[in-house]
Structures are given as structure tokens and as C-alpha cells.
Amino acid sequence: MPQALTVNHLAKSYGRVKALTDVTFQVAPGEIFGFVGSNGAGKSTTMRIILGVLAADSGQVLLGGSPIDFEGRKRIGYMPEERGLYPKMKVGDQLTYLARLHGLSKAEAVDATEQWTRRLGIHERIGDNVNDLSLGNQQRVQLAAALVHDPDVLVLDEPFSGLDPVAVDVMSAVLTDKAAQGIPVIFSSHQLDLVERLCDTVGVISGGVMKALGTVDELRARDGLRLQVAGPDSAARWADGLPGVTAVDYGDDSAVLHVDGADDQQILQAALAAGPVHRFAMTAPSLTELFRELV
């Protein structure tokens, strides 16, 4: 039965450098969690603690409410940011070997290898050494290695790195399908458009501290709405001082108004008084804009 992955108050230091400070979040069954942050923010450290590769100074990682033991870690599908494959080993032999390490029989491992190499579009390279593949195909093999034992949890560190658009679509479909089966999925990525499109919940980490946590819609709405107005002469600074307008970014022939409880009809009348209005649209900031503000 699918279980939630819970990260509780993780802290980790390397000497005087605090890598993580009180990092807490939960990935529910069937949820895709996007872990977002700059290089060195603490994403990989968190994932390695989940896998037991690193030990936290304090805090704990739970699966279904219980600490993850060795057997529990065998049920996690992990994809590291760095290549974790044997470069001079054949793709098929490698995936079968890894599946057997996770407890599958030889027949089950061969069947799973066949299934995932076909699903990820690398079956024709099953007899090639990993080192002879392109970086994108190596990334597909790396994902197959995370999936070949039918894991209960997926933890993927930068899985979309180096992939072409077709491969991105394939990997996106795999993650969505696994979540639909009730599997908790956590992945980190610098491609925030993908995070915004795929994820149910997002955590933004910086300097080892979780700066924001919530659904995509919650995060986009946290700093209020924005009103895009094109047409009126910005030199007139026509939106200054309007009730409910907290800030205005003027362009040559447009303005972006940060609004909180403003009367949009009053704003429209002020804009029309300054010139013709060609565009008048309420929007929320994108995840990319929010990330820039937070980080």
C-alpha cells in the first residue's frame, strides 16, 4: 500500500558550514514534489539523507510514519545527479544486475529490464556499453535503473538534465504515471517550467533553509496578483497612488501593477484617462519569478 515520505526537521553541517537547517516537508502517496534551489542549496544533501548515504546531525526521514531501515531503502528508486552507472558494462546486463540486487529473481529482472528499456526508448542499445551512449541516453538508463525494481518511492536528482524535448516528454509521462499509481515522487530540477507543469507541491530551498513550501497555485499567489496594462503613456505614471496598488513596474508603453485588494475597474478608468488600453489582464507571478525573488 502506498505510503507518505516525511522529512522531519533535518539538520546537517560540515564543520562551520550549515548545509541544512530544520528542513521539513512531506510527499503524499501519488504526489509529485518539486525540490527547487540553486546549486549548493541543500537539495542533493537532503536526498542523500533520505537514501541513507549521508547521516543527518538531527531530524529523521519516515516512510508511512516509521523510520526507513535497510529493507525500506531497497524499496526506493534513486537517481543521482552524477552518473551512477558502470561505464564499461552493457546496458541490459547492468539493469538486470541492479534489479537482482533489489531482490528480483533473474526472470523478473530480465522482464523488468525489457519493459523499461522499451518504455524509455533505449531498447536498441541494450547490448551497448553505457560509456558508448550519448549523455541523454545515459540519463534514460539512469532512470531505468531507478525504476527497474518497481519501487515504492522515487527520489530523482536533476532527472531532466541533458535531455532533448522528446526525452523530457517521455520522462514526464513516466513520473506522472508512477504518481497515478500512488507512488510518492520527489525530484529536483532547475527547469522551473517543468516543475510548475508537473508538480503538485513545490519546496524552494536556499542556503539549507526551506524558503517556501506549498502547491504551485499557493506559491504563485503568496505575493498577490499582478495586473498587466499595455497602452497608456508610462511617463505619466498614471498608476501611482491608486488604492490597493502596492508597486508599479513601468515599461515604455506598459505597466505591471502589484495589487492587493485593488478595484480593477478603478484602475481601468485611470489607465483610460492616460491613453488607449490595448491589454488589461490579471496574472499571478510564475514560479521562475517567485524563485528569483526568494533566492
Side-chain angles (χ1 to χ4, degrees), residues 85 91 95 122 130 133 136-146:
L85 303 168
V91 170
L95 293 176
I122 49 174
V130 170
L133 305 182
N137 279 337
Q138 288 184 30
Q139 193 79 332
R140 295 188 194 211
V141 177
Q142 190 86 59
L143 179 61

Side-chain angles (χ1 to χ4, degrees), residues 76-80 83-85 90-100 102 104 108-123 125-126 130 133 135-151 153-156 159 163 167 170-171 174-175 178:
I76 298 175
Y78 176 52
M79 182 175 176
R83 298 285 184 268
L85 303 168
K90 289 180 171 54
V91 170
D93 292 343
Q94 183 155 186
L95 293 176
T96 301
Y97 169 71
L98 293 172
R100 298 208 66 189
H102 282 90
L104 274 67
E108 291 170 335
V110 170
D111 286 346
T113 296
E114 179 81 9
Q115 172 194 344
W116 283 111
T117 53
R118 288 191 182 280
R119 175 72 188 275
L120 295 172
I122 49 174
H123 188 262
R125 309 302 301 271
I126 201 169
V130 170
L133 305 182
L135 292 179
N137 279 337
Q138 288 184 30
Q139 193 79 332
R140 295 188 194 211
V141 177
Q142 190 86 59
L143 179 61
L147 292 163
V148 73
H149 60 291
D150 192 24
V153 180
L154 276 177
V155 179
L156 312 174
L163 295 183
V170 170
M171 188 169 293
V174 168
L175 300 191
K178 298 306 286 187

Side-chain angles (χ1 to χ4, degrees), residues 36 190-194 196 220 285-295:
V36 174
H190 291 107
Q191 295 165 263
L192 300 186
D193 56 331
L194 281 172
E196 191 165 349
R220 293 183 65 198
S286 68
L287 191 59
T288 299
E289 292 171 315
L290 175 67
F291 178 79
R292 288 180 180 140
E293 292 172 5
L294 289 171
V295 177

Side-chain angles (χ1 to χ4, degrees), residues 46-61:
T46 302
M47 291 181 170
R48 288 166 182 164
I49 290 173
I50 291 172
L51 267 292
V53 176
L54 289 177
D57 296 337
S58 60
Q60 57 183 171
V61 180

